[in-house]
Amino acid sequence: MSTFKATSDMTRKQKPIVNESDGETSDRNTADKAFEVRVALREVKDPEIPTLSLEDLGMVYDIIVDHQTVHVQLLPTFVGCPAQEFIRNQVLKRLDEIDGVNHADVTFVMDVPWTSERITETGRAKLEEFGIAPPPARFAPDYKPQCPYCEAHNSDVVSLFGPTACRAVYYCKNCKQPFEGMKFV
Amino acid sequence: MRDSTEVSVASDGKVAPDYKHALTALLLQMGDDELIFGHRCSEWLGLAPDLEEDIAFSSMAQDEIGHASLFYSIAESLSGTSADRYAFSRGKNSRLNAMMLETKNGDWADTIVRSYLYNAFEQVRLKECLKSNFVSLQQAAAKILREERYHLLHMETWFEKLARSQGEARQRLLRALQDIWPNISDLFDLGVHADSLVRHGIISNTSLGIYSQWESIVRPVFAKAAIDWPGKPVQFSQSGRVGQHTSAMDEILLTMTEVLSLDAQAVW
């Protein structure tokens, strides 16, 4: 069985950690398979922000390969996020396309909190590109993010509650454009 | 006081019956509070004073029902009763939410007063659960607190905004406070297993300790808003924590179980 944890920065090279040894060849196979799963998960996007993958959001907690079976553990951003079942199905669909995976399951891990710090550098850049300001580094309700459109530092908080649980709404006084920002969670 | 033997009882998965009963009851109190409060929040959709509040209350409803589902799932792992059954298939008298949460929304002032007082209480209760010796409860509290601080902040902001405004808004807030205050005592009640909960270290403070902490959060906000402290809430003769509820609870359960009673096999 091989398992490796998601790091906070997915641009770093992944190094699978092999826990148990049931023969060197088999270890390499499971490690390769885990890596293949991780790469495949880069294609599974957040249904609300389609340019961001689950990995960019730091939602992939663990991938455990046990012979032909793959267990994917995900961290939901918010406990009550209604996209969970949709995401589960997307992941299962993608894993179904991988050779040598006969069975897969997806569990949502609740014992470790997802935090906005888990969003990778790539993820933060993609958020901005999409028009969503990346989250601040701490709980700061008065935080006024830089406008992702005109880059001015001249915004107001409109509402701490936005179109999804993880986003707040701001208004840029420079370009007169409302925009969204990820909350610190 | 923590008892080290109880800690090991909780962590190795074998749970003594008394511990389990008390723990399950606490999880249901927490889950029921969130489910009922979340349901009432959802009723503002389309009716709130502005679009932002429509969205805020819908977001909070979604968060709270998610939290309820997490508490019920932990209870399910202890008792085998499914989370869905906990949410939808229990009669009025086995529901353990505080009575003030089932009351109809009333006007905006009623809603803000109720929501602020409850959210402040919830912060205290969740923080006490961070010190629980039952690891799943501790972890759930840590995750949920990260979301709940936005709710508390939102309600506190509204409470102050209404209190500081002149004329009708402040008058309505004061009237709502007068109506709600006599009915909040069971929020702090830990129910029939109160002693066990504290003795076993499932929750790290007594009902009285939780109340004191709540007062230390709420009282300064009242002072800032120039509202006289109404005094310690008088112990009400009934308590939702032992399954006593008002007729508002019948109405809420009827609405919540409408689909289930039409078609027991219905799925989303």
Side-chain angles (χ1 to χ4, degrees), chain B residues 142-253:
Chain B
K143 186 157 173 73
I144 290 171
L145 269 168
R146 301 182 85 91
E147 302 177 12
E148 286 291 349
R149 56 187 163 194
Y150 287 100
H151 302 189
L152 176 62
L153 180 78
H154 192 68
M155 295 310 176
E156 190 182 312
T157 307
W158 262 108
F159 187 86
E160 284 188 31
K161 196 193 274 188
L162 294 183
R164 282 160 187 263
S165 61
Q166 300 299 313
E168 200 181 342
R170 183 177 167 87
Q171 289 316 313
R172 283 201 187 203
L173 185 82
L174 295 175
R175 195 260 317 133
L177 201 53
Q178 224 170 26
D179 288 349
I180 293 171
W181 200 260
N183 303 314
I184 63 173
S185 68
D186 66 346
L187 259 188
F188 310 98
D189 182 3
L190 285 171
V192 288
H193 299 284
D195 292 340
S196 300
L197 283 170
V198 180
R199 192 177 67 245
H200 289 312
I202 298 168
I203 195 160
S204 57
N205 213 333
T206 59
S207 170
L208 193 65
I210 291 172
Y211 170 77
S212 304
Q213 285 192 51
W214 176 82
E215 188 184 313
S216 72
I217 294 178
V218 172
R219 206 167 167 164
V221 174
F222 275 49
K224 228 162 79 183
I227 295 173
D228 291 337
W229 182 245
K232 191 171 185 234
V234 178
Q235 193 72 42
F236 194 60
S237 59
Q238 292 190 310
S239 170
R241 304 298 186 208
V242 294
Q244 292 170 313
H245 296 285
T246 62
S247 57
M249 194 67 184
D250 295 315
E251 174 263 332
I252 216 170
L253 290 179

Side-chain angles (χ1 to χ4, degrees), chain B residues 34 47 55 57 89 94 115 146 164 175 178 198 209 237 249 257 263:
Chain B
E34 291 286 73
L47 302 171
I55 296 169
F57 270 75
S89 307
S94 56
S115 305
R146 301 182 85 91
R164 282 160 187 263
R175 195 260 317 133
Q178 224 170 26
V198 180
S237 59
M249 194 67 184
T257 57
D263 178 5

Side-chain angles (χ1 to χ4, degrees), chain B residues 65-92:
Chain B
I65 287 164
H67 302 166
S69 156
L70 179 52
F71 290 127
Y72 292 149
S73 305
I74 301 174
E76 177 179 338
S77 70
L78 293 163
S79 67
T81 302
S82 79
D84 272 351
R85 283 192 69 83
Y86 278 132
F88 296 113
S89 307
R90 281 187 298 148
K92 177 178 166 180

